[in-house]
């Protein structure tokens, strides 16, 4: 170590450089490990015990038949809204 460089200056250069190096190595290792973890997952996946089981199908679909007057009113509303674009 040169005589004219203080110990604080060395810490100001070496410490941030070491932190950047270790963060880069850690992030690269995390990304490398995560890629293989995704490949190993089963199609069903891991379920959380605190969450209730999800239904495979959605809710029952409701359907309301419109009268011809309601259809005409809806078509007029759509035309009115699309004229602005």
């Amino acid at each position: 170590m040169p005589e004219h460089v203080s110990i604080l200056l060395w810490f100001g250069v070496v410490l941030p450089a070491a932190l950047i190096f270790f963060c880069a190595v850690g992030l690269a290792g995390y990304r490398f490990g995560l890629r293989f973890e995704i490949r190993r997952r089963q199609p069903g996946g891991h379920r959380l015990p605190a969450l209730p089981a999800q239904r495979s199908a959605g809710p029952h679909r409701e359907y309301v038949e419109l009268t011809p007057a309601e259809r005409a009113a809806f078509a007029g509303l759509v035309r009115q809204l699309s004229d602005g674009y």
Side-chain angles (χ1 to χ4, degrees), residues 7-24:
I7 191 81
L8 292 177
L9 184 63
W10 279 105
F11 277 131
V13 172
V14 173
L15 188 63
L19 287 175
I20 290 171
F21 174 76
F22 287 119
C23 285

Side-chain angles (χ1 to χ4, degrees), residues 31-52:
R31 183 166 189 252
F32 181 74
L34 185 63
R35 182 175 51 197
F36 284 108
E37 182 179 331
I38 291 173
R39 282 187 190 166
R40 280 184 277 158
R41 282 192 188 156
Q42 300 299 325
H46 175 67
R47 296 178 188 237
L48 297 174
L51 297 177

Side-chain angles (χ1 to χ4, degrees), residues 46-67:
H46 175 67
R47 296 178 188 237
L48 297 174
L51 297 177
Q54 301 291 315
R55 294 187 295 184
S56 61
H60 177 68
R61 181 176 264 180
E62 294 182 14
Y63 179 75
V64 176
E65 188 68 37
L66 298 178
T67 64

